[in-house]
Amino acid sequence: MTESNKPPLAVFDLDNTLADTAHRQRFLERKPRDWDAFFAAAPQDPPIEEGVAMARASGAECEVVYLTGRPERCRRDTLDWLLAHGLPEGRVYMRRNDDRRPARGTKLEILNRLSRTRDIRVLVDDDELVCEDAERAGFTVVRARWTAPSAALKSAQEREGRT
């Protein structure tokens, strides 16, 4: 049963939805992948205006929450980035540091948990597999197609459970 006295949730992914990761893709294109450098560079991500504008607009009618495949160890940098770029305050759901499941599994699990007590108005994400699974589960999805897809990031999300 949902809490009807609370606004619906608008759920936003971070990487390549709100934050442009293009400048740090190089760390995933080498072998072995340099995950520490990839995540250490996240505070320098430029904001993606389409996604940021959508998050800000969603804050007028919804409670904005963030659902990312980033590991928990990146929480402080992530919160600082959101604040620095004027995004709405909201809970941030992150992957446990040792969780290597595909992003679509971890994100759908959290969406299902959130939907038990709250109405979810929309999920905004760039990962096609996350979007497909969320739609199959009955969620309304907006595909964040405002950056060029990265094969290295897709592999990281699905095969290596890293972001």
Side-chain angles (χ1 to χ4, degrees), residues 50-68:
E50 295 91 336
V52 170
M54 186 177 286
R56 288 177 181 151
S58 294
E61 294 183 8
C62 298
E63 178 182 334
V64 175
V65 299
Y66 304 95
L67 176 57
T68 180

Side-chain angles (χ1 to χ4, degrees), residues 105-117:
T106 60
K107 288 185 174 185
L108 193 58
E109 179 181 294
I110 292 169
L111 285 170
N112 283 325
R113 189 171 67 228
L114 290 172
S115 72
R116 284 188 215 120
T117 59

Side-chain angles (χ1 to χ4, degrees), residues 3-144:
E3 299 175 20
S4 59
N5 60 334
K6 293 190 176 183
L9 299 178
V11 182
F12 284 83
D13 172 48
L14 293 175
D15 292 337
N16 292 326
T17 298
L18 299 174
D20 188 343
T21 67
H23 71 102
R24 53 187 170 113
Q25 292 300 313
R26 67 186 187 278
F27 298 117
L28 300 183
E29 293 164 356
R30 59 177 68 153
K31 298 289 183 190
R33 298 184 201 276
D34 189 345
W35 292 105
D36 289 338
F38 178 76
F39 288 120
Q44 285 74 51
D45 289 353
I48 300 170
E49 286 310 315
E50 295 91 336
V52 170
M54 186 177 286
R56 288 177 181 151
S58 294
E61 294 183 8
C62 298
E63 178 182 334
V64 175
V65 299
Y66 304 95
L67 176 57
T68 180
R70 292 180 185 185
E72 187 63 44
R73 69 180 181 272
C74 298
R75 180 171 291 278
R76 180 76 269 149
D77 285 345
T78 300
L79 294 174
D80 289 347
W81 188 92
L82 291 166
L83 181 63
H85 294 288
L87 281 130
E89 285 186 33
R91 290 172 289 164
V92 178
Y93 295 88
M94 302 182 90
R95 180 190 298 273
R96 290 186 327 269
N97 288 328
D98 62 348
D99 188 346
R100 297 288 187 264
R101 293 174 296 154
R104 65 194 216 185
T106 60
K107 288 185 174 185
L108 193 58
E109 179 181 294
I110 292 169
L111 285 170
N112 283 325
R113 189 171 67 228
L114 290 172
S115 72
R116 284 188 215 120
T117 59
R118 298 290 293 276
D119 178 43
I120 297 178
R121 169 91 38 98
V122 67
L123 166 68
V124 184
D125 201 302
D126 70 306
D127 184 325
E128 192 62 36
L129 296 173
V130 168
C131 292
E132 288 173 6
D133 284 1
E135 284 178 332
R136 268 195 291 278
F139 295 102
T140 300
V141 172
V142 171
R143 284 166 170 77

